[in-house]
């Protein structure tokens, strides 16, 4: 092992807590923030030195000295650590590690906390300090737990370092824990998906627990007011225009920021969003994606390598499942609609879904999807209310028109498809996937092929469903659209109405068809992207499409 990067003491604690957690954080480089982590940082605030400030000199105490946030490192073993507190008493030093929770029921420290403190002790000893013990301060019970240093401790630490280095060099993570209590509050839960991966690999017969929250804890923020400015003040994202404040929301509640048209975003806002991992999306006023700013693509080189080098057979199998799932969802959409009663049409979609599942080549699959789309849009056009007239030409049963949309319904669908693509793209970037290399849509300059692939299953359930709701509930009105001689566009007020309807649809809870628990459509999109990545990494044997009953 040459040119090894140093391991942090925190990383060794993560390894001892859960090897899969350690691999996901330090090999692919996934980082997620949770409420538990924010509470932990609050507990640490009493001993941390703020970033950018010079660390203070040792504070003299009656029996020695005391220092905070002491950064340590060594060349052998290659370790780094930041000691929360180092105390010197009667010529000896001892590190004190601050933890939010409580010790084990028998009063002893947790193994992951203990190994982290042992790493700090060995670093202090290598600096020449006389250090024979350390302490863990558990904030919830307000007491210290002593950790002595022994020759066995050093052997255990070196063995842990060796095992951690061996694991981090492996291309795939170890299997998830099985129904472990550790998983409930784990920061990596949305990436790891332990119960879900275990079920899909038949490692356990128990049904998945609903550990994932039904929806992400944060919501997207849209800014489309021309001439407005997005900035940050006192940990809040503030949208203003001139002297008027248009919006103010807590920064920690922002999932991602979407700005449309001539909107200014300050560098402070960009940095604040990046610090908490929130993407920044720029779109045109018509909704088409222009720029997606992500804090980092992650270090998951292996995932992207497998994405680019997957066999044609594997990619065709995933594509078949995606398109078959999309066609089944199209059938579900039409079957639910009270304005349509055509069993023959539904039967044709059923047959197309079955044919898609058996398509021998990609070109055959393309033909099957095209035939299914014509059947679907025939039913979609008949599902629209005939007594609610929208401006411009009528929607044709042959399907939507685009670039530009020539009727109001096509205008709605195009804008909604762009919104859906935005959410799928941010889900891809969060996992380290390349959104421009897919398995069904072929790569072409400027085309996010993987985004279009993963969006297929959700087009009828999210975008088309929202368009039908807007039209059939008379929420889409003549004032929603601006009719040009050769195209139809949304007005500013119309865009706001469509965005609100789309976000309401994404927050709708449905029963997951595979795992059986309630999730929102937004969370379901994230789960599908994760399952696609797990399939590429051979964590699961095949991709399972999202289908609704």
């Amino acid at each position: 092992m040459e040119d090894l990067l140093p391991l942090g003491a925190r990383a060794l604690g993560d390894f001892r807590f859960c090897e899969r957690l350690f691999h996901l954080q330090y090999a692919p480089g996934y980082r997620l923030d949770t409420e538990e982590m924010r509470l932990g940082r609050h507990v640490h605030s009493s001993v941390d030195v703020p970033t950018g400030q010079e660390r203070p000199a040792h504070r003299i105490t009656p029996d020695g000295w005391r220092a905070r946030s002491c950064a340590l490192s060594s060349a052998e073993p290659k370790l780094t650590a930041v000691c929360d507190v180092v105390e010197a008493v009667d010529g000896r030093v001892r590190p004190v590690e601050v933890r939010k929770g409580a010790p084990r029921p028998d009063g002893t420290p947790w193994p992951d906390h203990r190994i982290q403190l042992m790493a700090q002790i060995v670093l202090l000893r290598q600096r020449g300090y006389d250090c024979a013990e350390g302490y863990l301060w558990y904030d919830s019970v307000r007491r210290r737990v002593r950790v002595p240093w022994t020759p066995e401790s050093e052997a255990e630490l070196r063995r842990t370092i060796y095992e951690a280095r061996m694991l981090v060099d492996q291309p795939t993570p170890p299997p998830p824990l099985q129904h472990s209590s550790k998983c409930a509050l784990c920061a990596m839960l949305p990436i790891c998906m332990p119960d879900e991966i275990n079920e899909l690999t038949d490692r356990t017969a128990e049904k998945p627990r609903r550990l994932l929250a039904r929806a992400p804890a944060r919501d997207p923020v849209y800014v489309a007011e021309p001439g407005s400015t997005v900035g940050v003040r006192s940990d809040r994202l503030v949208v203003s225009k001139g002297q008027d404040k248009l919006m103010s929301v807590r920064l920690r509640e922002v999932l991602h920021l979407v700005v449309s048209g001539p909107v200014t975003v300050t560098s402070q806002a960009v940095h604040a969003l990046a610090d908490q991992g929130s993407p920044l999306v720029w779109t045109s006023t018509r909704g088409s994606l222009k720029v997606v700013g992500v804090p980092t693509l992650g270090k998951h080189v292996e995932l992207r390598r497998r994405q680019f080098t997957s066999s044609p057979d594997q990619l065709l199998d995933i594509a078949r499942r995606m398109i078959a799932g999309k066609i089944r969802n199209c059938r579900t959409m039409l079957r639910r609609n009270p304005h349509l009663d055509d069993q023959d049409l539904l039967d044709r979609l059923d047959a197309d879904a079955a044919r898609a599942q058996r398509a021998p080549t990609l070109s055959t699959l393309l033909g099957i999807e095209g035939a299914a789309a014509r059947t679907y849009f025939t039913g979609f056009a008949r599902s629209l209310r005939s007594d609610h007239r929208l401006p411009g030409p009528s929607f044709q049963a042959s399907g939507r028109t685009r670039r530009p949309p020539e009727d109001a319904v096509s205008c709605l669908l195009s804008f909604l498809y762009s919104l859906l693509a935005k959410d799928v793209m941010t889900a891809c970037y969060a996992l380290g996937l390349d959104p421009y290399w897919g398995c069904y849509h072929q790569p072409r300059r400027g085309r996010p092929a993987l985004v279009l692939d993963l969006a297929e299953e959700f087009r009828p359930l999210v975008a088309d469903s929202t368009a039908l709701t807007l039209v059939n509930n008379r929420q889409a009105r003549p004032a929603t659209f601006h009719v040009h001689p050769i195209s139809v566009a949304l007005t500013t007020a119309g865009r706001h109405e469509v965005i609100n309807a789309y976000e309401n649809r994404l927050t709708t809870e449905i029963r997951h068809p595979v795992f059986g628990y309630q999730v929102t459509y937004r969370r379901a999109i994230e789960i599908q992207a994760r399952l696609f990545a797990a399939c590429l990494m051979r964590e699961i044997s095949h991709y399972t499409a999202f289908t609704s009953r």
Side-chain angles (χ1 to χ4, degrees), residues 258-430:
V258 184
V259 294
S260 303
V263 176
T264 300
V265 183
T266 66
S267 59
Q268 292 88 345
V270 173
H271 282 282
L273 290 167
D275 287 343
Q276 69 175 22
S278 298
L280 177 53
V281 182
W282 282 270
T283 73
S284 68
T285 53
R286 291 179 178 267
S288 58
L289 288 172
K290 300 189 79 173
V291 178
V292 178
V294 291
T296 175
L297 275 177
K299 304 171 186 176
H300 210 331
V301 177
E302 180 63 22
L303 174 60
R304 291 193 289 278
R305 186 189 72 79
R306 296 198 183 199
Q307 184 181 358
F308 299 140
T309 60
S310 292
S311 68
D313 288 343
Q314 183 186 20
L315 296 179
L316 176 59
D317 180 68
I318 296 174
R320 282 192 296 233
R321 294 173 185 274
M322 285 178 171
I323 298 307
K326 173 198 176 178
I327 297 172
R328 292 190 181 98
N329 289 335
C330 289
R331 183 190 184 281
T332 299
M333 261 289 300
L334 298 180
R335 181 177 55 81
R336 289 176 179 174
N337 196 284
H339 299 281
L340 180 71
D341 183 15
D342 189 338
Q343 188 59 45
D344 178 64
L345 186 146
L346 299 179
D347 290 342
R348 294 206 307 272
L349 288 175
D350 252 341
D352 286 336
R355 289 170 56 215
Q357 193 69 62
R358 301 188 304 268
T361 64
L362 194 61
S363 59
T364 303
L365 186 60
L366 285 165
I368 294 170
E369 192 220 1
R374 288 189 290 273
T375 303
Y376 169 67
F377 276 112
T378 298
F380 184 86
R382 290 159 53 190
S383 299
L384 298 166
R385 291 186 64 148
S386 58
D387 59 344
H388 182 45
R389 178 66 178 163
L390 294 175
S394 299
F395 182 75
Q396 300 299 314
S398 57
R400 71 182 178 110
T401 55
R402 53 181 180 163
R403 297 176 185 166
E406 299 174 5
D407 60 85
V409 175
S410 294
C411 174
L412 287 175
L413 291 174
S414 293
F415 190 72
L416 288 164
Y417 290 163
S418 295
L419 293 176
L420 179 60
K422 173 263 299 180
D423 283 301
V424 176
M425 181 170 282
T426 56
C428 290
Y429 276 131

Side-chain angles (χ1 to χ4, degrees), residues 456-495:
E456 291 289 2
E457 300 154 40
F458 295 96
R459 282 194 179 199
L461 298 176
V462 175
D464 299 354
S465 175
T466 302
L468 279 176
T469 299
L470 287 167
V471 174
N472 291 346
N473 290 354
R474 301 178 186 271
Q475 294 172 261
R477 309 177 306 278
T480 304
F481 305 95
H482 183 75
V483 181
H484 299 277
I486 59 171
S487 66
V488 176
L490 289 168
T491 62
T492 301
R495 286 195 297 273

Side-chain angles (χ1 to χ4, degrees), residues 116-316:
Q116 186 172 345
L117 188 62
M118 285 163 52
Q120 297 176 16
I121 292 173
V122 77
L123 289 173
L124 287 168
R125 289 170 66 89
Q126 288 190 352
R127 290 292 184 95
Y129 290 105
D130 185 0
C131 184
E133 63 182 7
Y135 286 89
L136 285 158
W137 167 262
Y138 286 103
D139 192 70
S140 65
V141 295
R142 310 293 295 175
R143 69 182 175 88
R144 290 184 174 191
V145 176
R146 180 175 177 269
V147 176
W149 177 256
T150 64
E152 292 77 13
S153 300
E154 182 169 4
E156 179 186 353
L157 178 63
R158 289 187 177 277
R159 184 172 62 252
T160 302
I161 293 172
Y162 174 78
E163 292 173 353
R165 290 201 182 281
M166 293 297 292
L167 178 59
V168 82
D169 288 335
Q170 293 181 9
T172 57
L177 300 175
Q178 294 190 34
H179 277 254
S180 171
S181 59
K182 294 180 179 180
C183 300
L185 298 177
C186 179
M188 285 291 108
L189 183 61
I191 303 293
C192 176
M193 294 176 56
D195 288 8
E196 293 82 355
I197 297 296
N198 282 332
E199 181 183 13
L200 292 175
T201 53
D202 296 324
R203 295 184 69 239
T204 178
E206 298 182 72
K207 294 299 292 181
R209 299 163 291 177
R210 196 189 65 78
L211 298 178
L212 279 174
R214 290 184 172 89
R218 300 178 289 178
D219 295 308
V221 172
Y222 295 82
V223 182
E225 180 64 31
S228 58
T229 299
V230 182
V232 173
R233 297 172 197 162
S234 303
D235 291 328
R236 298 185 71 87
L237 196 72
V238 178
V239 182
S240 57
K241 186 174 184 180
Q243 300 300 315
D244 298 327
K245 182 187 291 186
L246 306 181
M247 177 194 299
S248 177
V249 61
R250 288 197 299 178
L251 192 63
R252 61 189 287 186
E253 296 177 353
V254 179
L255 180 65
H256 55 255
L257 175 66
V258 184
V259 294
S260 303
V263 176
T264 300
V265 183
T266 66
S267 59
Q268 292 88 345
V270 173
H271 282 282
L273 290 167
D275 287 343
Q276 69 175 22
S278 298
L280 177 53
V281 182
W282 282 270
T283 73
S284 68
T285 53
R286 291 179 178 267
S288 58
L289 288 172
K290 300 189 79 173
V291 178
V292 178
V294 291
T296 175
L297 275 177
K299 304 171 186 176
H300 210 331
V301 177
E302 180 63 22
L303 174 60
R304 291 193 289 278
R305 186 189 72 79
R306 296 198 183 199
Q307 184 181 358
F308 299 140
T309 60
S310 292
S311 68
D313 288 343
Q314 183 186 20
L315 296 179
L316 176 59

